[in-house]
Amino acid sequence: KLSAFVKNDKIQISAVGTQNHFMTRYGYFECRAQLQKSAGVWAAFWIQSTEIAKGEDPATFGAEIDIMEFFKKLGTDIVSHNVHWAYGPNQQTTHGMQSYLKGVSEGFHTFALEWTPKRYSFFIDGYKFYEVTQGISNIEEYMILSMELPSKIEELKNAVFPDVFIVDYVRVYKKK
């Protein structure tokens, strides 16, 4: 369970990552989770490169692959996906893709990514919502589950603490 809470008048958030423990490239990445309840903080399941700020070619330096981000301020039935690469002055992005799925903010759902040498495909509950051929990474990367904070403190005015992003499982499947 990843949580956001207030302790000693400071907001605490949680994150867990697999850097230096489990790094891979390509495959089917799946997380079954229940999303947070309030706006302000947001749940995320993503893949990150350790080399992303070292150059502009995503094939060589990797990408940030946002499998799922849930910004409740966008609506209770909208999940975002994105790909970023070339951290720095020439950063590139696919620009947020929004998937609408009635009831996604209630109960458990699966969020997944199929990553191949040619494309990223984004899924919710087994349904493919987007396919992207930009920013394809060809290097090993690591996974992160996180509960994030907004860049502007006023965005937390409607947050209710404590809040949780409950993760049932994370699985990675590889083709033979």
Side-chain angles (χ1 to χ4, degrees), residues 74-137:
L74 298 178
T76 58
D77 299 322
I78 298 172
V79 172
S80 298
H81 322 276
N82 214 329
V83 180
H84 310 279
W85 63 97
Y87 281 3
N90 297 317
Q91 181 172 323
Q92 300 290 311
T93 183
T94 57
H95 300 288
M97 298 165 277
Q98 314 293 299
S99 295
Y100 176 84
L101 183 64
K102 184 82 173 143
V104 77
S105 65
E106 298 298 324
F108 282 87
H109 297 274
T110 57
F111 305 95
L113 168 81
E114 182 181 25
W115 171 16
T116 74
K118 296 187 187 273
R119 72 179 188 291
Y120 302 117
S121 299
F122 297 88
F123 298 83
I124 304 173
D125 291 342
Y127 296 102
K128 185 192 299 186
F129 281 83
Y130 288 96
E131 189 169 283
V132 174
T133 57
Q134 297 174 282
I136 304 299
S137 171

Side-chain angles (χ1 to χ4, degrees), residues 1-4 14-16 31-37 41-46 68-70 108-109 111 144-148 162-168 170:
K1 177 172 22 176
L2 299 177
S3 60
S14 297
V16 62
C31 167
R32 182 175 183 268
Q34 182 175 334
L35 303 171
Q36 87 276 3
K37 296 295 180 195
V41 295
W42 75 91
F45 174 39
W46 45 304
M68 175 280 298
E69 292 181 287
F70 181 60
F108 282 87
H109 297 274
F111 305 95
I144 302 171
L145 293 161
S146 60
M147 188 83 131
E148 304 281 336
D163 203 348
V164 294
F165 168 37
I166 301 171
V167 178
D168 181 32
V170 174

